[in-house]
Amino acid sequence: MADSTATATPETTTDGMRRRDFIDVAAVSAAGIGGLAVLYPLISQMAPSKDVLAASSTEVDVSSIEPGQAIKATFRKQPLFIRRLTPAEVAAANATPAGSLRDPASLADRTKEGHEDMLVTMGVCTHLGCVPLGAAEGENKGEFGGYFCPCHGSHYDTAGRIRKGPAPTNLEVPEYTFTSDTTIQVG
Ligand code: FES
């Protein structure tokens, strides 16, 4: 006659969990921890290193730029224009109602507070990507005194805003900050 009393077999723990269940759970947990351990270096490799971040930003000393002058720099392999406006160029930009423009923006919108005379834009026409004239001494600045793109005749004003020609939007103002009164970091 068979004994009907339940006894713990080697496959059964005292709380009713089968030993195989326990082994399975333990194996999955170990795999999970192993998975995380593998994942972390992968994620940390995907984050940009300090070297890459440094290469993707540009620091420029703007102290030598005189009013009315501009310099050309490079930001992420593209031309960057940094221009110190004269008081007359600031006044011309501020005299134009932003709402009347194709791509409405004020000079204050496009510069940093306390540095409204320092215009930082990409030197890339927003029509088809030519490099506008106007940053170098003696170059054609167009009908509005800013930049002129000779490819198809886009004219930008002293705030780098599109005023005439086929370009749809203003010259792009990249992300930048003044790290001191005389230095900007772009990107
Ligand atoms: S690329 Fe500048 S006007 Fe066409």
Side-chain angles (χ1 to χ4, degrees):
M1 185 172 168
D3 183 0
S4 61
T5 308
T7 55
T9 67
E11 286 293 312
T12 310
T13 61
T14 50
D15 63 358
M17 189 181 195
R18 289 190 313 120
R19 182 177 301 276
R20 181 164 299 283
D21 290 342
F22 175 77
I23 292 169
D24 287 349
V25 169
V28 168
S29 298
I33 292 166
L36 283 178
V38 170
L39 211 55
Y40 175 74
L42 281 178
I43 289 172
S44 81
Q45 279 174 17
M46 286 162 67
S49 68
K50 282 183 180 164
D51 289 354
V52 172
L53 285 174
S56 66
S57 66
T58 298
E59 196 164 87
V60 185
D61 178 356
V62 297
S63 61
S64 61
I65 308 175
E66 297 291 330
Q69 279 186 340
I71 62 169
K72 294 179 187 178
T74 303
F75 173 55
R76 293 178 185 161
K77 299 184 178 172
Q78 294 199 306
L80 176 75
F81 294 164
I82 303 171
R83 181 168 182 161
R84 191 184 295 278
L85 304 178
T86 63
E89 288 171 333
V90 170
N94 287 335
T96 307
S100 69
L101 301 174
R102 185 179 303 172
D103 183 10
S106 67
L107 178 63
D109 293 336
R110 293 172 54 75
T111 53
K112 300 295 183 194
E113 193 173 354
H115 298 278
E116 287 191 2
D117 62 339
M118 190 63 70
L119 181 69
V120 180
T121 64
M122 299 309 298
V124 179
C125 181
T126 60
H127 180 221
L128 292 176
C130 288
V131 178
L133 301 173
E137 186 92 40
E139 283 184 353
N140 184 354
K141 293 180 179 175
E143 291 181 24
F144 298 86
Y147 298 103
F148 171 66
C149 182
C151 289
H152 312 95
S154 285
H155 298 251
Y156 297 90
D157 69 11
T158 56
R161 300 172 297 191
I162 182 64
R163 300 294 295 275
K164 184 177 176 183
T169 56
N170 303 331
L171 292 181
E172 181 191 348
V173 175
E175 289 288 322
Y176 72 96
T177 51
F178 276 85
T179 52
S180 74
D181 271 352
T182 58
T183 309
I184 63 168
Q185 179 166 326
V186 186

